[in-house]
Amino acid sequence: MEPIATVAPPYWLLAELTYRCPLHCPFCYNPVGYAAVRDELTTADWLRVMREARALGAVQLGFSGGEPLQRDDLEELVGAGHRLGFYTNLITSGVGLTAGRLATLKTAGLDHIQLSFQDSTRELNDFLSSTRTFELKKKVAALIKAFDYPMVMNCVLHRHNLPHVDRIIDMALELGAEYLELANTQYYGWAMKNRAQLMPTRDQVRAAEQVVADYRARIGKRCRILFVVPDYFEDRPKACMGGWGAVFLGVAPDGLALPCHNARDLPGLDLPNIHEASLADIWHHSHAFNAFRGDGWMQAPCRGCPEKTRDFGGCRCQAFMLAGDAAAADPVCAKSPLRYKIDAAIVSATTAGRLAPVEHPIVFRTDANSRVASGL
Ligand code: FES
């Protein structure tokens, strides 16, 4: 495939350092079959990836996982990223973030930390993560403040904690958070496996939106609250990843280069590995990064749609999961002939205006469940 002639550089590099994680969240965005990925890049590999990404023009560098603190070389990688001129961001559950490590990360030049909570209550936080981490996360939040970082809190929302949104915001305010990201579950990976368990009702989503609007009016700039609406409840798709191969370059623990977090599960992409090519080559010339650039790949109704420059036809991974064709319109779009599939999922979450009971248990992210999913 010919590369698109004028490809802008990536804006950010996401370094998924490891799939190892002490938590077991049923909405984890790591691939369900992560247990089949055994080899992790070495420190030297990551240093080369960072140099090449910076030379390509990337300016933001996120360290995520799994839990990136599981890597002993995190401080070294952060320091190298900082010296290269990246704005560096750590995305963490907080597990492993001691005062000692935080001091070293600060000295290394870490710019920003995003700390996740699962809920405002110990019971639900610890149930969803299958760990006793609620109190620890609160201590880590205080440490982050003590080291003079802006406190950026993240909480994934779903049917179990949407009714707690007011208490989640109160907790964020108590902990001195400057930013709170309330990210409604997007249904990929483990979350797709647990969709029936996580899907809220439309009333839950609207009520939570109203709570957020009320808090925003009351607290002003004390804490900026971002409420990411679940795309299932919209009638137009999200501009996933800001466009395929447009701003995002992810590198997985085994060196696969990813145009989006979930690209590993898309068939036929022939994802490139950083062991086989330079990042510049991957970004500009690989089949995977060019597969959905521009609009030449689009089908009806996207091809003739005046909104295609805004939403790029939506999410390729969602199109594949729900339409069986990664080049189809994202079924979230009301113009898609498959929109009924989204509506059916919402209806099945709701019985007579209330949450429908779910028969089967939640599938937690565990190595054992991942091995089953990947046929090991
Ligand atoms: Fe892959 Fe949206 S998550 S394109």
Side-chain angles (χ1 to χ4, degrees):
M1 177 179 296
E2 283 299 304
I4 307 292
T6 51
V7 177
Y11 177 73
W12 69 300
L13 169 69
L14 183 68
E16 291 186 342
L17 296 182
T18 179
Y19 286 144
R20 287 174 286 140
C21 185
L23 274 60
H24 305 288
C25 305
F27 41 74
C28 176
Y29 74 85
N30 284 166
V32 172
Y34 72 84
V37 177
R38 293 210 174 85
D39 296 330
E40 287 185 3
L41 295 184
T42 64
T43 309
D45 291 330
W46 280 115
L47 294 175
R48 173 170 74 77
V49 165
M50 290 193 292
R51 275 196 307 274
E52 291 184 357
R54 190 74 186 101
L56 248 182
V59 293
Q60 187 157 326
L61 170 57
F63 293 100
S64 79
E67 172 50 66
L69 285 154
Q70 296 272 313
R71 290 272 305 214
D72 295 338
D73 55 358
L74 177 63
E75 291 82 344
E76 183 179 349
L77 298 178
V78 166
H82 175 70
R83 286 191 297 280
L84 284 165
F86 279 110
Y87 183 84
T88 54
N89 179 21
L90 175 65
I91 300 156
T92 179
S93 66
V95 178
L97 194 53
T98 59
R101 289 198 83 176
L102 199 40
T104 313
L105 288 165
K106 182 94 185 177
T107 308
L110 180 65
D111 291 301
H112 183 277
I113 304 172
Q114 181 185 300
L115 176 67
S116 66
F117 276 80
Q118 280 68 25
D119 189 44
S120 55
T121 67
R122 180 188 299 111
E123 293 71 22
L124 193 51
N125 182 91
D126 291 358
F127 171 72
L128 289 170
S129 64
S130 283
T131 54
R132 290 197 182 143
T133 49
F134 185 64
E135 296 303 331
L136 178 135
K137 282 169 180 280
K138 285 185 151 185
K139 285 188 188 136
V140 168
L143 262 184
I144 291 171
K145 292 291 286 183
F147 277 84
D148 218 18
Y149 280 104
M151 179 67 219
V152 184
M153 189 180 293
N154 166 281
C155 187
V156 174
L157 299 178
H158 39 73
R159 62 156 63 188
H160 304 285
N161 63 4
L162 270 164
H164 304 171
V165 157
D166 54 346
R167 280 165 280 172
I168 294 169
I169 299 172
D170 284 340
M171 180 177 76
L173 294 173
E174 270 167 37
L175 295 173
E178 276 94 356
Y179 299 91
L180 172 62
E181 184 183 83
L182 296 168
N184 277 279
T185 305
Q186 308 278 341
Y187 296 101
Y188 305 97
W190 294 90
M192 187 62 177
K193 226 176 175 32
N194 288 303
R195 190 174 70 171
Q197 289 277 6
L198 299 170
M199 178 75 72
T201 67
R202 195 175 289 279
D203 286 350
Q204 279 188 313
V205 175
R206 296 299 170 234
E209 266 184 314
Q210 189 55 54
V211 169
V212 169
D214 292 346
Y215 266 87
R216 280 192 187 129
R218 190 145 29 97
I219 65 176
K221 292 188 178 148
R222 187 173 150 205
C223 176
R224 307 253 318 254
I225 308 173
L226 185 67
F227 185 80
V228 184
V229 177
D231 61 354
Y232 276 41
F233 293 85
E234 304 276 32
D235 63 3
R236 287 292 182 274
K238 59 183 179 286
C240 202
M241 310 314 297
W244 184 273
V247 293
F248 175 87
L249 170 53
V251 176
D254 57 348
L256 273 198
L258 305 171
C260 80
H261 302 285
N262 302 288
R264 192 187 285 271
D265 294 332
L266 283 182
L269 272 188
D270 192 19
L271 287 168
N273 193 295
I274 64 104
H275 290 306
E276 292 147 14
S278 70
L279 274 197
D281 220 30
I282 287 170
W283 181 257
H284 288 288
H285 303 297
S286 67
H287 165 76
F289 277 77
N290 282 295
F292 302 112
R293 277 185 175 139
D295 59 10
W297 56 272
M298 287 182 181
Q299 311 167 357
C302 298
R303 181 165 285 187
C305 180
E307 295 168 65
K308 68 182 175 186
T309 53
R310 200 161 62 221
D311 60 34
F312 316 112
C315 173
R316 298 305 89 225
C317 297
Q318 196 144 268
F320 173 69
M321 278 188 295
L322 300 176
D325 178 0
D330 183 337
V332 156
C333 185
K335 296 181 184 180
S336 162
L338 299 178
R339 168 70 207 192
Y340 71 89
K341 293 197 176 192
I342 300 285
D343 293 330
I346 296 172
V347 168
S348 71
T350 311
T351 316
R354 306 175 56 174
L355 280 174
V358 180
E359 302 296 324
H360 55 85
I362 290 181
V363 182
F364 289 92
R365 177 210 143 114
T366 63
D367 290 356
N369 285 335
S370 179
R371 278 195 292 274
V372 170
S374 52
L376 294 177

